[in-house]
Amino acid sequence: KLQTSTYSAEFGKSLGGVVNLQIKSGANQYHGSGFVFLRNDAFDANYFFNNRAGRPKPDFSQQQFGGTFGGRLVRDRTFFFGDYQGLRIEAGQTYLSTVPSMRMRNGDFGEINRVIYDPRTQQPFPNNVIPRDRWDPASAAIMAQYYPEPNTTGAVGATGQQIQNYLINPTLTRNDDQMDFKVDHVLSPANRFFGRYSYQKTARDLPATYITA
C-alpha cells in the first residue's frame, strides 16, 4: 500500500510517500505458485563498436524464477507461508576507452599537436620524444602494469592523439536470492500473533573499464 498524503498520525514525520508491505499468511488449504522468466541474446544485435572492431556479440543471459507456498500446521490455529525469488544475470559489456598509443608508451608524443617541454631546461624535447634515460622508473612500471596496450584502431582526437583505442567485452554477473517465511498462530478470535524471517543476498561482479592481464 502506497500512501502519499493524508495518512494517519503514526506516519506523521514522514517527508514523502509511505509504503506499507504485508506478507501473506497461510490458510487451511495448501496453495502455491511459481514463475520463471528467461531472456538471452538470441535476438539481440551487436554493438556498433564491436562491429567496427570485428568483435562478436557479447553473451547475455537472464533468469528470474521463484514461487510461494502456504498452508496450515494446525487447522484453524497455526499457519505458514513462504516465498522465494532468484535472479541470475550474465551480461557481456562493451567498454571503449582511451589508452596511451604504442608511440606514447615508448616516449614518442610526436602524434599530438602539443609541445612537450623538458622540465629541466624549459626547452621542447626534440620531436616531442622523451628520452628513455629521462623516464621515472616508477612511472614506467605503472605504465607497463596498469595501462593495457591499444587493441583497436580508434579515432584521432582534436589534439592528434589516438583515442577510443581500447575495446573489451567483460562479463557482468549478478546473483540474487530473496526469501521470506512467516508463521501465524491464532490464540483467540481477538488475539493473533506471527513471526517472520526474511533473507536477501546479492553477489555482483562489476568489471572495470580497464582490464589488464
Side-chain angles (χ1 to χ4, degrees):
K1 181 180 180 181
L2 175 62
Q3 302 177 76
T4 58
S5 62
T6 64
Y7 32 76
S8 63
E10 62 182 308
F11 308 113
K13 291 186 177 181
S14 175
L15 297 178
V18 174
V19 179
N20 297 322
L21 301 177
Q22 183 174 353
I23 298 177
K24 288 184 177 181
S25 299
N28 282 323
Q29 300 298 319
Y30 295 103
H31 294 282
S33 65
F35 71 93
V36 62
F37 171 82
L38 303 176
R39 180 188 164 195
N40 57 38
D41 57 7
F43 298 103
D44 291 350
N46 202 358
Y47 296 96
F48 168 81
F49 295 108
N50 283 340
N51 284 327
R52 190 178 69 175
R55 296 288 187 88
K57 177 176 61 177
D59 295 332
F60 179 83
S61 173
Q62 178 177 332
Q63 306 172 34
Q64 190 171 2
F65 50 91
T68 66
F69 186 73
R72 69 177 186 273
L73 295 174
V74 178
R75 177 175 290 275
D76 297 327
R77 298 296 300 272
T78 308
F79 311 94
F80 73 92
F81 181 85
D83 60 71
Y84 169 79
Q85 175 176 273
L87 175 67
R88 304 290 184 267
I89 296 178
E90 294 185 1
Q93 307 295 296
T94 296
Y95 291 158
L96 186 66
S97 308
T98 298
V99 297
S101 67
M102 295 306 297
R103 291 178 62 182
M104 290 181 175
R105 294 176 71 92
N106 292 309
D108 183 355
F109 291 84
E111 64 189 70
I112 66 174
N113 53 23
R114 300 289 188 271
V115 178
I116 307 298
Y117 289 91
D118 187 336
R120 293 181 181 175
T121 65
Q122 305 301 316
Q123 298 298 314
F125 281 111
N127 299 320
N128 264 8
V129 177
I130 303 175
R132 177 73 65 167
D133 59 1
R134 298 294 301 280
W135 290 23
D136 181 88
S139 298
I142 291 174
M143 174 68 70
Q145 184 173 355
Y146 294 109
Y147 282 87
E149 296 182 0
N151 61 5
T152 187
T153 303
V156 178
T159 64
Q161 178 186 356
Q162 188 183 37
I163 61 175
Q164 298 179 346
N165 57 357
Y166 184 65
L167 176 68
I168 57 174
N169 298 116
T171 300
L172 178 152
T173 60
R174 175 175 174 176
N175 297 327
D176 289 8
D177 293 288
Q178 300 169 289
M179 63 169 290
D180 301 288
F181 186 75
K182 181 182 180 184
V183 175
D184 292 83
H185 183 71
V186 179
L187 293 175
S188 68
N191 294 281
R192 180 172 181 159
F193 69 89
F194 72 90
R196 174 182 60 86
Y197 174 77
S198 295
Y199 172 87
Q200 177 175 345
K201 182 178 181 180
T202 298
R204 298 181 184 178
D205 183 6
L206 305 178
T209 305
Y210 290 148
I211 296 179
T212 57

